[in-house]
Amino acid sequence: MIIESADKVMVRGRAVGTATAEAVLTAYNGLIRAKAKGTSSAEGTLKHIKPLSGLAEGASSGWAFLRLDGGPNHFLSGIATGTSAATATITRRIKPFARSNGASSAEGTLTYFAPEMAELLLIVDVFPEHYGSSQRVRGRLLVDGEPVLLETYQYTKRTNDLTAQLSATIADVNDRVKITPTSYISFDIGVWDNTDWVWVPLLDLGEVNSTNYVFSRERDSFSFVGIPAQQAKLAQTPPEDLVIYDPLVETLSTDDFEPIPDTGGNLHYTQLVPSAGLTLYRLMDLIFVNRCGFDSVETNIPNWRIPRADFRAGVSYMATMGAIKGFHKPRFSVIGNVLWIWDSTAGVPAGFPSPRPFTLSDSAARGISATIEHLDAVRLTYSTDRANYNFIGFRTETETTEDDSNPNVRITSTVTRTIKQYFRSENPFTPVDEDIVSVEEQQFIQRSGLGTTLVYEATENYTYDAFGNPKKRIRVENRRLPDIRIEEWPEVMLETKRVTETWTYKPNPFRPGTKYQSLHSVIEEALLTVDHDRLRLGQPYREGYTETFQSANIEPTMTLDFAPIRSFIEKVKPLRDGRCRIDRTETDLLNNVVVNADSQMSVGEISMSGLVKESKEIYVFDDDLGIRTTDKILYYDGGNAPLNVLIPLCRRILKQKRAGESTFSDTLAVFDLSVEEGSMLNVRGRENEDLGDYLVTARTITGNRNLHSIQIEAEKIG
């Protein structure tokens, strides 16, 4: 086309053409966005009409590839038809230059094609008839009574320590605000029985243990872990330090224990619970029934006397009870609200529900493993309380001294001691300890032509407790002095001094089984002269009679009185950090003056005991007359349990380990909630042979919107 002038001209014509385009569609957060690029061409005739305009019709075809979430390409193809209109202005500048604008519309249909080939492989397992039975299962979560939809969940509970937890991901992430640290969690599993849902509670009034909120570009998620109320019971700790003790063995007082302050200035004292004749069974009732809230406790563990059990605030009751020896691999089960605690080596406890048959038809996948140990014996370490001695004896020794330096006077002094000796039967001729029982002292003066006269005597007697610790000492002194209470003042033996010394012992609150010397006191009394003619602070002057006689100040108006003149008191109190506080006070009772008072902190061992905690060892054989076949020996620490409990226990352990400690795992073929942790199964083999009784020690239930399953773990009993 040639334009002769620069004037604007209009061309009218008709054009037909085709267009091609390619597009890529990408998915972002559920929205599909498309990008397309292509070329178009058209041919037609234009007529020189003012204004220049044109109309074009045609057809276009397109194809696109759709890819979602990293999957394979999906081919989209379609045809669209429509109309388009355009108006153009052409200006002549060196070369013709055109500008155009307009609108177009089209309608079409896209069809999905799958050009990729897929292969389907079917694997068929033949199971018992009921394995393929249809079951509808769902999980239900209630948070403070309000339902919350779940996407996935996993519920696990074990019997060995009664731990259980629910780990769940909620369907609507906005429901996370309903789950708080103070929320009560209830979780049920429902099974459809063809008429209605049968709900089985698994976690009732549980507590939120942890939460996890995950931010994701694709989709946020929120999960949490909850623990059941039963676990919360056994996780309880005493609010204050607690000591349960046998008052027939120990005498305890709250004052013996140092209180613990809090930041508010309050003092928290140790709680003492006496129980005469305390035993293991009684201790279980006091803890698990009275404090943890179970209805009762059943056990197959032997009973024995326990003198004392200490429970610390901040340490669970279960942790302290679990430290008590006398059973191997203890197992805990809760049936209803009854707590079962039993030794797995001793078989099924009396009264426990009988094992139910468990055959291959109950399993989708099963595994049984055993660990066999070739052992000859158990080297058992145990503790026993023994006295420092088995029997006692006495001996007497006398010591005499004479002073004859003056030819006219001979002074003879005699000291006689009675000594208590402590012996052990394995060395009956050598005492392990000795204590003075009594001391007698006498002094005689012999003057030329006047004979022998007793002028001084003293007796000292000791008493001891059953463990050989001194309790009291009394010393009495007598001197030959004039008795001014009688006319003519005759010389007689008068009691001039008496000393009473006592020791008091208490159980050490921080070291069970030991005692410490809590109080040491000395009271000294003397024979006094009372001079009514001399006053001191308005009172008659008082002085020891011996001192008055030696100073030759005796007057006829004086009288005699026997009264305390001095006291010494020492108190000891152990502290939690291993130190002790010692308070001492010395008082002049004659003048009512404290002459010395001090308090100090001391570091060192203050405990003592006539009963010695002795660690012993013994080899325990399954058959005392059997022949050893190996040098392998198992070591076992029996703690403080008595030997009559530990020896049968060690023999059961030997038998179990020789036979093989068998464990069992299974995925249930049918969603059967009656197979739960703590239940007993009589496991059967492929030929229905008896493989033994197993205790279900753990059960895990997992589920989502499409699939639910139960896995169990068990161990052989006996």
Side-chain angles (χ1 to χ4, degrees), residues 73-139:
N73 292 336
H74 299 284
F75 186 65
L76 300 177
S77 179
I79 298 176
T81 61
T83 60
S84 62
T87 301
T89 302
I90 300 178
T91 305
R92 180 177 174 181
R93 311 225 175 133
I94 302 177
K95 292 183 179 180
F97 179 76
R99 293 181 179 179
S100 65
N101 54 56
S104 63
S105 63
E107 295 181 357
T109 302
L110 291 178
T111 306
Y112 171 78
F113 293 91
E116 299 168 354
M117 298 296 294
E119 184 180 54
L120 177 63
L121 178 64
L122 297 179
I123 300 176
V124 179
D125 287 335
V126 179
F127 288 99
E129 181 179 352
H130 74 282
Y131 179 77
S133 60
S134 175
Q135 284 181 292
R136 296 172 60 192
V137 180
R138 65 173 55 170

Side-chain angles (χ1 to χ4, degrees), residues 446-628:
Q446 183 180 4
R447 292 184 175 87
S448 299
L450 297 178
T452 302
T453 303
L454 176 65
V455 296
Y456 174 81
E457 66 177 355
T459 59
E460 193 170 43
N461 293 284
Y462 293 81
T463 57
Y464 299 86
D465 63 16
F467 305 122
N469 299 317
K471 293 176 60 178
K472 180 178 288 188
R473 178 183 72 95
I474 299 178
R475 179 179 177 85
V476 178
E477 298 180 3
N478 296 275
R479 289 177 171 82
R480 180 172 291 277
L481 294 170
D483 190 348
I484 62 175
R485 297 168 296 185
I486 303 176
E487 292 184 6
E488 298 181 359
W489 297 2
E491 289 189 354
V492 297
M493 296 297 293
L494 295 177
E495 181 180 343
T496 58
K497 190 175 183 180
R498 175 184 291 265
V499 178
T500 302
E501 187 174 10
T502 59
W503 294 267
T504 303
Y505 305 93
K506 289 185 177 181
N508 192 324
F510 309 114
R511 293 196 59 186
T514 64
K515 295 183 177 182
Y516 71 99
Q517 180 183 295
S518 62
L519 178 64
H520 176 214
S521 67
V522 179
I523 301 296
E524 184 177 336
E525 301 170 279
L527 184 63
L528 306 176
T529 55
V530 182
D531 190 349
H532 298 275
D533 295 333
R534 296 174 59 190
L535 300 179
R536 174 184 289 179
L537 300 176
Q539 299 293 327
Y541 182 77
R542 298 156 63 90
E543 185 181 47
Y545 186 28
T546 302
E547 288 78 11
T548 303
F549 177 78
Q550 290 175 341
S551 62
N553 289 327
I554 300 177
E555 299 293 338
T557 57
M558 293 180 177
T559 59
L560 298 180
D561 184 24
F562 200 86
I565 62 172
R566 173 182 171 270
S567 71
F568 172 81
I569 297 177
E570 180 182 67
K571 296 180 179 180
V572 180
K573 187 176 183 62
L575 305 178
R576 294 181 182 274
D577 58 4
R579 298 181 300 165
C580 64
R581 184 174 64 245
I582 302 176
D583 299 318
R584 299 184 182 92
T585 305
E586 184 176 2
T587 305
D588 179 357
L589 300 177
L590 189 62
N591 298 298
N592 295 323
V593 176
V594 175
V595 297
N596 184 32
D598 68 85
S599 179
Q600 67 180 43
M601 304 297 291
S602 178
V603 178
E605 180 58 62
I606 64 171
S607 298
M608 61 182 65
S609 179
L611 289 177
V612 177
K613 189 70 69 175
E614 187 176 49
S615 179
K616 291 187 174 182
E617 291 184 319
I618 185 173
Y619 284 102
V620 180
F621 294 94
D622 184 26
D623 180 3
D624 292 333
L625 300 179
I627 300 176
R628 295 184 61 173

